[in-house]
Amino acid sequence: MALEPFKCKTSAGVQNDPEPLPYLVEPDYRSYDIDLRVTIQADDIPKPVQVSRSNFKNMYWTHRQQLVHHTVTGCNMKPGDLLGSGTISGQTEDSYGSFLELSWNKQKQVQCGESATRYFLEDGDVISITGTCYGDGYRIGFGDCIGKILPAQSKYI
């Protein structure tokens, strides 16, 4: 498996808060060392600016546990289905995984380049998420996941 060299302990170390239900207990509770970076770009932010850098090993629940929990009630999963992990936050302020966390729920502005700030994402913001594993002299990248925030349609406002 391509990611085998990047297996590592999770940042939690052990899974006891909360303790998983019996069907979710993993004898080999481990994750992967995948560097995650988030950048923002917009009209007032002409060049991409990194706003967060975290790591997949900060996930408390493993991808296997998430899949099992999702399907235990009978939800059908098929090859090619996509699951989102949710926010992956680290322990430092620059590794928080959402603008809600980065801005402390609008208690402080997030610096986005030289002159732009944000509390939350705004219409027109372009977000890019990348994931990369770094080996000795090589790297494995997952490609960019890029999305643009569009204004709400008037019928929903």
Side-chain angles (χ1 to χ4, degrees):
M1 181 167 131
L3 295 180
E4 196 67 27
F6 305 102
K7 260 189 158 179
C8 65
K9 291 186 176 199
T10 68
S11 61
V14 295
Q15 215 171 16
N16 58 8
D17 187 23
E19 190 170 319
L21 295 171
Y23 71 93
L24 292 173
V25 172
E26 283 200 65
D28 185 26
Y29 176 60
R30 298 174 68 78
S31 189
Y32 295 97
D33 185 5
I34 304 172
D35 181 65
L36 302 169
R37 298 178 192 220
V38 179
T39 63
I40 185 171
Q41 188 174 5
D43 289 340
D44 60 339
I45 310 168
K47 294 181 182 177
V49 173
Q50 183 173 297
V51 290
S52 179
R53 181 176 182 187
S54 189
N55 195 295
F56 191 74
K57 65 184 170 188
N58 291 322
M59 291 290 298
Y60 185 76
W61 301 103
T62 69
H63 61 283
R64 293 173 298 277
Q65 289 172 314
Q66 289 180 28
L67 179 62
V68 168
H69 184 69
H70 187 75
T71 59
V72 73
T73 59
C75 182
N76 189 18
M77 295 296 297
K78 297 178 184 173
D81 284 353
L82 182 66
L83 290 174
S85 65
T87 303
I88 304 176
S89 297
Q91 292 77 32
T92 60
E93 286 188 26
D94 63 339
S95 68
Y96 295 158
S98 72
F99 268 85
L100 181 67
E101 293 175 338
L102 289 166
S103 72
W104 282 95
N105 194 21
K106 207 174 176 182
Q107 297 300 308
K108 64 180 198 170
Q109 293 184 330
V110 179
Q111 193 66 42
C112 300
E114 294 179 19
S115 60
T117 58
R118 295 283 191 279
Y119 288 114
F120 300 106
L121 294 175
E122 298 178 2
D123 291 348
D125 288 351
V126 177
I127 298 298
S128 174
I129 305 171
T130 59
T132 309
C133 295
Y134 294 96
D136 187 17
Y138 69 99
R139 66 183 179 181
I140 298 174
F142 294 87
D144 294 337
C145 176
I146 301 172
K148 182 174 185 176
I149 307 300
L150 300 176
Q153 296 179 5
S154 61
K155 66 180 178 180
Y156 297 114
I157 298 178

